[in-house]
Amino acid sequence: MYEVEVKVAADLEAVADRLDELGAEHTGDVRQVDVYYDAPHRDFAETDEALRVRRETRDGETETRITYKGPLVERESKTREEVETGVADGEKADAIFEQLGFDPAATVRKDRRFYRYDGYTVTLDAVEGVGEFVEVETETDEGGVEAAREGAFDVLRELGLDPDDQTRTSYLGLLLDDASE
């Protein structure tokens, strides 16, 4: 499966108002804390991969998931292979990675508001130390990447945003870039 995602910096209040005007379905709010790991056997920054443990809190309940993200597969969006699974104990998952030599690289904290619109998930993200962004995403097989990307661009336009303003840099990359400046 491929995650097709486009992301642009935006005023979240204005986009939320536009989503309401369009009749988008608000599907929930979460707080996410993502711990990203560096691998002992290769440089994820060079290979454009990511490994994270995500803790997601919704309505007072926290779930933990482990996610591997492969390198970007096209230049026009943030499309990449993604493999994810839930875990019962986030602290033990962290301990396993650390015992295997995976070092925590950074932690990304964000508040997210989710909507469904025109077959896409639209996420309004307030990312600590980075800023406010809108993501439009869906999942597809390899043959559907281009159509999914063009559909995501159409959704951005309906929200009053320009697909040409997208950033393909992950929140982790943006956070690390800000920290190095």
Side-chain angles (χ1 to χ4, degrees):
M1 233 0 150
Y2 289 87
E3 177 188 62
V4 177
E5 172 188 306
V6 292
K7 173 173 58 186
V8 297
D11 177 327
L12 298 186
E13 188 173 322
V15 174
D17 289 345
R18 180 67 179 142
L19 285 163
D20 289 341
E21 289 171 11
L22 292 169
E25 177 190 2
H26 176 228
T27 58
D29 299 330
V30 300
R31 171 76 170 163
Q32 291 177 341
V33 178
D34 298 338
V35 177
Y36 287 86
Y37 286 89
D38 286 331
H41 59 293
R42 66 180 177 255
D43 184 346
F44 284 163
E46 284 184 17
T47 61
D48 193 29
E49 296 170 284
L51 177 66
R52 75 170 178 230
V53 174
R54 168 174 284 169
R55 288 166 180 83
E56 183 172 279
T57 304
R58 180 187 315 254
D59 300 326
E61 298 291 321
T62 299
E63 292 184 5
T64 303
R65 301 186 73 71
I66 297 172
T67 307
Y68 164 79
K69 291 188 175 217
L72 293 174
V73 298
E74 67 165 13
R75 301 180 60 88
E76 294 82 15
S77 68
K78 285 186 65 220
T79 301
R80 59 178 74 228
E81 183 178 13
E82 181 173 289
V83 181
E84 185 173 70
T85 190
V87 295
D89 188 325
E91 283 70 34
K92 287 184 180 174
D94 289 328
I96 290 168
F97 285 133
E98 290 175 25
Q99 289 297 320
L100 292 172
F102 288 77
D103 292 321
T107 301
V108 176
R109 293 173 177 83
K110 59 188 169 293
D111 292 306
R112 309 187 93 183
R113 171 165 274 189
F114 294 98
Y115 292 84
R116 289 292 299 162
Y117 179 71
D118 199 25
Y120 287 82
T121 299
V122 179
T123 309
L124 310 185
D125 290 336
V127 186
E128 287 182 18
V130 178
E132 295 184 341
F133 295 85
V134 173
E135 292 184 354
V136 177
E137 67 183 68
T138 192
E139 290 185 349
T140 188
D141 60 19
E142 188 173 1
V145 168
E146 184 176 342
R149 179 190 67 241
E150 292 305 316
F153 287 170
D154 289 343
V155 170
L156 281 176
R157 289 183 194 99
E158 288 188 61
L159 296 175
L161 302 171
D162 187 345
D164 290 338
D165 293 338
Q166 77 168 302
T167 178
R168 292 182 48 193
T169 305
S170 67
Y171 293 134
L172 173 63
L174 293 170
L175 183 68
L176 294 175
D177 286 347
D178 284 350
S180 68
E181 293 177 1

